[in-house]
Amino acid sequence: MSVVTLTVNGQDVAVPAGASLLEATRAAEANVPTLCHLEGLTPVSSCRLCLVEVEGSGKLLPACSTAAAEGMVVHTHTPRLREYRRMTVELFFAEGNHVCAVCVANTHCELQDMAVTVGMDHSRFPYQYPQRPVDATHPQFTLDHNRCILCTRCVRVCDEIEGAHVWDIGSRGGQCHIVAGLDEPWGQVQACTSCGKCVDVCPTGALFRNSDTTAEKQPNTTLPALLRTAREQHRWHNQ
Amino acid sequence: MTPSPPAAKLRLATVWLAGCSGCHMSFLDLDEFLFDLAEKVDVVFSPVGTDVKIYPENVDIALVEGAVANVDNLELALQVRQRTGLVISFGDCAVTANVPGLRNLLDAGHDSAKAVLERGYLELADATGQLPFAPGIVPELLPRVLPLHEVIPVDLYLPGCPPSAERIREAITPLLSGERPVQEGSAMLRFG
Ligand code: SF4
Ligand code: SF4
Ligand code: SF4
Ligand code: FES
């Protein structure tokens, strides 16, 4: 197995060739925050929280989808990156409708956790109060667009792991939203197997089980990695 | 914007704008710490600690609960800023507008006051429904509910719905000796 060596925050690390920058930062225990990334799913770099500085590169690079390369000199927590991360999280809160106190995901939400991680005590951006619908047509689950951060974990898990490809992204810019089937009510999409994987991996309270009320959502984000290892390497987590 | 040195007793106010009073209930949950606090501060204005109706001059620290939703909230918030050293946004309603701010979703946020009144007093009423009209008695709603820092500069934020008594104590204790609390980590910062 060939290896690449690089420097993360002044520390030398070695990772297998083909590993991502994120894996390299983890080898250096740098705690780079991630939100859209999920082990077992293809990275898409939609949240921008894992941006790092690589010396010699004119732009910031998303660690989750950039390959680690020989000799890279990486910085993960410069003042500029910390400021951008806090701004990014503030923008997530300001551009949706997040009322944590009455949210199904309260206390189990990765966005709420991320606000703590980046030290957000308030939003410097005015709240937008966008008009967004709730799709409650599925017999078991609900999609509340007000809390969706467009991480596309649901899109990817349904496509890559369940193989049903129920979800996609519709529209552009500020109108971007998750669509079921051919932009139909979720409950009418016959491809949905009701497996619940999208609900389990959603980092926020956007997707939830109908039986869950305030603060009752219990996500399960380890499933995609387990299933992928089982399928590709024929290894189960108890083996 | 820093409180005066601890030699003199600090003048503390707690203020109730558009909130459910839950943050004040959490403040009362400080239990025996309230005795320690009473030794170090004079409570000069508070819905749970005094019967004073006019916001006094020369307040050192003010804990402000609630969003700014009507003209009374707005007037009091401006007085608080003018007459207070350190203003604390106390709880999620003050910090984010939270539940009172939900009415901003009506009418695409342009005039949610009109929209929420029509919804409450006409659409959901029986045949005799009418809009309330009592100028000078019931304060007029603002067109949009705002977090406190969009109305006045805020010096410290204490999120939580409500912030736990523990979080309040951790924030207030350093202030009593002229220090700023370290607002970091889940114990001090989490919304909700
Ligand atoms: S999804 Fe998360 S951040 Fe949004 S309201 Fe719910 S708990 Fe808060
Ligand atoms: S429940 Fe399963 S099949 Fe249905 S949309 Fe979610 S992931 Fe796809
Ligand atoms: S519904 Fe949840 S998983 Fe899907 S994009 Fe929105 S936040 Fe991400
Ligand atoms: S985790 Fe890398 S961009 Fe979201």
Side-chain angles (χ1 to χ4, degrees):
Chain A
M1 182 178 69
S2 64
V3 160
V4 294
T5 54
L6 60 165
T7 314
V8 178
N9 300 335
Q11 188 182 329
D12 291 333
V13 291
V15 289
S20 68
L21 261 187
L22 187 61
E23 288 165 67
T25 63
R26 284 180 180 164
E29 292 176 8
N31 277 330
V32 172
T34 60
L35 205 45
C36 65
H37 177 76
L38 190 65
E39 255 5 281
L41 302 180
T42 310
V44 289
S45 316
S46 65
C47 77
R48 316 310 282 175
L49 280 165
C50 70
L51 288 180
V52 294
E53 288 178 15
V54 177
E55 284 185 15
S57 163
K59 54 186 186 180
L60 304 175
L61 298 172
C64 64
S65 63
T66 305
E70 186 64 32
M72 272 181 166
V73 180
V74 185
H75 304 279
T76 64
H77 283 79
T78 61
R80 175 168 74 144
L81 290 170
R82 284 175 196 271
E83 174 56 18
Y84 284 171
R85 287 187 189 129
R86 180 171 161 171
M87 267 169 59
T88 304
V89 177
E90 287 177 28
L91 287 166
F92 274 129
F93 275 90
E95 67 95 45
N97 293 308
H98 295 273
V99 186
C100 299
V102 293
C103 178
V104 67
N106 192 8
T107 70
H108 289 101
C109 171
E110 291 181 50
L111 180 60
Q112 194 186 40
D113 292 345
M114 194 56 73
V116 176
T117 304
V118 301
M120 171 185 169
D121 56 5
H122 73 291
S123 170
R124 290 163 292 182
F125 305 102
Y127 293 91
Q128 299 300 299
Y129 296 100
Q131 306 279 301
R132 294 192 192 163
V134 175
D135 184 342
T137 57
H138 191 286
Q140 294 178 40
F141 316 121
T142 298
L143 168 57
D144 183 344
H145 291 275
N146 292 287
R147 303 174 185 139
C148 174
I149 57 169
L150 294 171
C151 69
T152 74
R153 281 190 192 177
C154 55
V155 178
R156 288 173 284 151
V157 79
C158 188
D159 175 40
E160 298 174 13
I161 306 293
E162 182 60 6
H165 198 130
V166 169
W167 301 111
D168 271 298
I169 305 250
S171 299
R172 290 184 167 222
Q175 302 303 313
C176 243
H177 61 285
I178 296 291
V179 294
L182 298 170
D183 204 358
E184 302 155 86
W186 186 2
Q188 288 175 20
V189 180
Q190 291 185 354
C192 175
T193 63
S194 301
C195 68
K197 290 187 178 69
C198 53
V199 179
D200 285 338
V201 301
C202 175
T204 70
L207 283 164
F208 58 90
R209 291 188 155 68
N210 294 347
S211 53
D212 287 342
T213 66
T214 302
E216 288 182 350
K217 181 175 173 178
Q218 298 285 347
N220 176 4
T221 51
T222 55
L223 210 57
L226 287 177
L227 287 172
R228 199 176 277 274
T229 321
R231 286 176 194 171
E232 292 176 1
Q233 300 168 24
H234 304 284
R235 252 191 320 116
W236 293 93
H237 60 289
N238 56 356
Q239 284 173 349
Chain B
M1 301 262 171
T2 44
S4 45
K9 263 191 163 187
L10 288 169
R11 290 162 60 78
L12 175 77
T14 78
V15 180
W16 182 13
L17 306 179
C20 71
S21 89
C23 296
H24 273 87
M25 297 304 116
S26 202
F27 180 77
L28 294 179
D29 274 345
L30 284 167
D31 297 337
E32 64 269 26
F33 178 75
L34 289 171
F35 292 108
D36 303 342
L37 191 62
E39 280 174 16
K40 300 199 173 105
V41 306
D42 282 326
V43 178
V44 293
F45 183 88
S46 169
V48 296
T50 69
D51 203 19
V52 175
K53 302 289 184 241
I54 310 282
Y55 194 82
E57 301 283 346
N58 301 318
V59 178
D60 292 303
I61 303 172
L63 286 161
V64 184
E65 168 190 329
V68 179
N70 65 33
V71 290
D72 277 12
N73 299 154
L74 179 61
E75 191 186 339
L76 184 50
L78 295 173
Q79 280 175 357
V80 167
R81 182 64 280 178
Q82 227 174 24
R83 303 176 186 174
T84 313
L86 186 114
V87 175
I88 304 175
S89 240
F90 179 34
D92 279 357
C93 293
V95 178
T96 75
N98 203 29
V99 175
L102 277 172
R103 79 156 147 97
N104 293 347
L105 285 165
L106 300 174
D107 194 31
H110 299 306
D111 189 358
S112 68
K114 185 162 166 287
V116 78
L117 289 174
E118 284 174 356
R119 178 82 182 135
Y121 287 91
L122 300 180
E123 286 168 36
L124 297 176
D126 58 21
T128 60
Q130 58 176 36
L131 287 177
F133 183 69
I137 299 172
V138 183
E140 298 259 325
L141 299 183
L142 299 175
R144 192 180 158 99
V145 184
L146 299 166
L148 188 62
H149 66 270
E150 289 187 28
V151 175
I152 57 169
V154 165
D155 304 304
L156 194 69
Y157 298 85
L158 210 51
C161 184
S164 65
E166 181 76 354
R167 188 179 286 179
I168 300 170
R169 189 165 55 77
E170 291 296 314
I172 292 182
T173 307
L175 294 175
L176 298 178
S177 46
E179 314 268 316
R180 277 187 77 95
V182 182
Q183 295 297 91
E184 268 178 21
S186 209
M188 295 311 286
L189 282 188
R190 180 173 292 273
F191 293 112

